[in-house]
Structures are given as structure tokens and as C-alpha cells.
Amino acid sequence: MTPPVFELIVEPELRGVRIDSFLAKHFRNYSQWRLSRMVRCGCASVNGAPADETRRVFPGEAVRLSLVEPPDKLLNAESRELPVYYVDPWMLVVDKPAGMIAHPTGEYQSGTLANILQSYFDQKTPLRGLVRPGIVHRLDRHTSGLMVVAAHHLSHRHLASAFEAGRVAKTYVALVEGVMPRDTGVIDLPIGRAREGRLVLMSARGDAVDAKPSKTSYRVLRRFAEHTMVECRPATGRNHQIRVHLSQIGHPLIGDEFYMAHGAIRPLNPDWIPVAPEDFDANFVDEIETGFPIRRHALHAMKLELAHPISGLWMTFQSILPPDFQATIDVLSDGASVS
């Protein structure tokens, strides 16, 4: 079988890079080492002339590659239905279900969002592994909601920069314990690593390690007899930020497996620990008994607003509440609602 040949035009952003580095940007499931080997074997040319691995490329040049080897960094593709809110050649927006992590880590190399998206991309390309999903931000395993994923190296770069610079607006809906007295507010408390040694957890207490400025604004959506539904908009992107901030002011999420009111951390449940305690990862916790239909912490990434990484057009995406979240609201509504 004749190997497929691909032609790529060098973008201005990649001026002067080596040809193997250029190819690694486009074929992200291939290691640079494997691409360099193909170039050395005469599989690449620039503007029709043979190229070696030391050749540097410049904007407008046509780079051709005969893809004679399979990818060597390919994720295991797993087919599963996943709500896709938007897709174009540069990015897609998906609604991540609760219970799923973003990408493989440690012993957990399957069932992740990246595995499922690899299958999604493979179905739309002539060869497996031509596109690798670019995860540019994360949601906790048990947080459901919207995530944007890059489908091209340039969009990956611009999206990552936008998140790092705080140019992306994220809106979450949470169900918390207790009745929040104020309709709106801003939680402006630094967040750092909690001093408990066995968990990679965060804290807004004064003794947090390496605390960094963190700010979350909130607005009460509905009050129930003993709980509150609240909208949160984080201005910074600290790990577990919304969970930590809400718990610190005395209103932890329903079903939060780690954070209790006023900065307290819930004692470890041995049944939740899948590995040795010193290796315990706070992302991996089984279902939590909450007394409500929801069996996880009650947090959903409802809205995502950002500039398109290529066109610059401002885009807004909004999802619906997942069934377990809505069912919990219905149960709370059956009780005495105070507003």
C-alpha cells in the first residue's frame, strides 16, 4: 500500500523552526523523534526539494511528508456518546459528564475525555491519529459541564494563552449547604495547598502553602429551606477554586468529598482510596452518599464565553443541567422554599 502524502503550508508563527519541530506541531500523535527519522529517510520535502532534519522552514513554504510510519503517541480511542455543542476545524466545545477525567494519568489510561475525543477525531480523518485532542483546561472528575478542546496546534496555543491570561469567562452553577444570606458577593481569598500531607488538596486558610490571589464572584439563584443554588464566576483559575471558596465562607457544595465548612477538610474514607494513601489522588473518589439524587459534588460548568482562537469572534456557549443535578433541585423544591 502506498503511504499517504500530506502537504502543509508553513504558518508565520513557525518561522525558522526545524522541519521536524514543524511537523510535530501538526502531527501531535507523533513524537518528534519519529518524525525526524522519517525526514532522515527521505520522506519529506520543502517546495519540492528533498529536506533533512536540520532544514529550517519559513512562512509560505510547502512541506510534504510521506507518512510511512504509524503514530507512536496515539491515545487509545474509545467510542462513546458525548454532547458536542460546537465544532469547526480549529476547536470543539463538549459537555463533559460527571465522573470523567480530562486525560489519562497514572494508572487511569482509559475512559477519559481525551480517549473519547481521539475516537471522535479518528472518525473524521482518513487515518487514525492525524489529530490529537488538545486539552487546554480541566474540570474536576465529578464536575460536569462545558469544556473547549483544541483541534489544531495554533488554536491550542491561542486558547491556552487565553485561559492563562484570564480572557475566558466561565460560569458555574452550584448547590450548597446552608442558606446564603447575601444575594451577591465576591470571595477574595488567596488559595494554596492544604497542609494535610496525604492529599493534593487546596485551602483558603491562612496556613495554606504557596497561596496565590484568588477571586470568585457569586449570585444567589434560589434559596431552599436548608440549601442554596448559586451561580459562581471565577476570576482566577486555581485548582478546586469554587469548592474551596464556598466552603471557606461556610457553604460547601452538596456532596463535596473533601471540603467542609470554614476550611475544614473531611477525614479520609478508606473506601475511597484506590491506591496506597501516600499516592492518593484527589481526582479519584467513588460516588458520595448525599441523601439526594446527586451522588457527587453539585457543581456544573454551565456557561463558557471566549474569543474564537483564530477569528477572534466572541462566542458564548451554554449547557443544560444534567439529570442528577436537576433531580436534586426538584427534591429541594419539594421542601419549604424560602425564596
Side-chain angles (χ1 to χ4, degrees), residues 61-101:
E61 290 185 327
V63 177
R64 291 171 63 88
L65 176 69
S66 178
L67 210 55
V68 298
E69 296 191 31
D72 55 341
K73 298 196 304 180
L74 187 60
L75 293 162
N76 293 324
E78 300 177 27
S79 181
R80 174 174 168 179
E81 289 293 324
L82 188 70
V84 177
Y85 276 66
Y86 176 83
V87 62
D88 67 20
W90 303 99
M91 70 176 210
L92 69 162
V93 176
V94 300
D95 197 348
K96 184 191 83 68
M100 180 184 294
I101 63 171

Side-chain angles (χ1 to χ4, degrees), residues 64-318:
R64 291 171 63 88
L65 176 69
S66 178
L67 210 55
V68 298
E69 296 191 31
D72 55 341
K73 298 196 304 180
L74 187 60
L75 293 162
N76 293 324
E78 300 177 27
S79 181
R80 174 174 168 179
E81 289 293 324
L82 188 70
V84 177
Y85 276 66
Y86 176 83
V87 62
D88 67 20
W90 303 99
M91 70 176 210
L92 69 162
V93 176
V94 300
D95 197 348
K96 184 191 83 68
M100 180 184 294
I101 63 171
H103 57 77
T105 180
E107 297 180 358
Y108 299 86
Q109 296 296 314
S110 63
T112 75
L113 179 64
N115 293 117
I116 295 166
L117 288 174
Q118 187 64 68
S119 175
Y120 176 86
F121 285 131
D122 286 348
Q123 294 172 32
K124 298 181 180 301
T125 55
L127 293 176
R128 291 180 64 236
L130 285 183
V131 177
R132 184 182 181 91
I135 305 295
V136 294
H137 68 122
R138 305 176 189 178
L139 296 176
D140 293 341
R141 182 189 183 194
H142 288 305
T143 300
S144 54
L146 296 177
M147 290 183 64
V148 60
V149 179
H152 186 274
H153 77 89
L154 188 57
S155 56
H156 188 283
R157 172 183 171 183
H158 290 172
L159 285 170
S161 175
F163 275 95
E164 184 176 354
R167 299 194 300 270
V168 178
K170 297 170 286 185
T171 304
Y172 295 74
V173 176
L175 294 172
V176 303
E177 298 176 3
V179 179
M180 299 181 72
R182 297 179 57 187
D183 291 339
T184 61
V186 176
I187 308 170
D188 190 356
L189 296 170
I191 291 177
R193 183 169 55 82
R195 289 194 172 272
E196 281 76 356
R198 288 187 295 174
L199 301 178
V200 185
L201 297 180
M202 309 304 288
S203 174
R205 291 172 27 169
D207 63 350
V209 178
D210 296 328
K212 295 180 174 58
S214 309
K215 185 180 294 186
T216 304
S217 60
Y218 69 85
R219 177 172 67 94
V220 169
L221 300 177
R222 188 172 179 185
R223 295 183 177 93
F224 304 98
E226 298 179 349
H227 299 84
T228 306
M229 181 163 67
V230 59
E231 175 186 278
C232 297
R233 291 174 62 93
T236 49
R238 310 303 174 209
N239 193 27
H240 297 178
Q241 177 172 319
I242 293 173
R243 298 166 62 186
V244 170
H245 270 169
L246 289 174
S247 68
Q248 186 66 34
I249 65 171
H251 298 282
L253 299 181
I254 290 176
D256 198 305
E257 58 269 40
F258 300 116
Y259 302 111
M260 302 171 66
H262 306 298
I265 292 180
R266 193 178 304 279
L268 280 175
N269 183 335
D271 293 337
W272 296 347
I273 304 178
V275 292
E278 61 271 17
D279 297 326
F280 182 67
D281 187 332
N283 281 320
F284 297 98
V285 175
D286 293 331
E287 291 185 348
I288 305 300
E289 177 53 58
T290 65
F292 295 102
I294 199 165
R295 294 291 194 271
R296 59 175 174 104
H297 59 244
L299 186 64
H300 178 69
M302 172 73 78
K303 184 186 291 187
L304 186 63
E305 301 169 86
L306 72 165
H308 190 279
I310 305 302
S311 70
L313 178 68
W314 190 254
M315 309 180 80
T316 299
F317 306 96
Q318 184 160 337

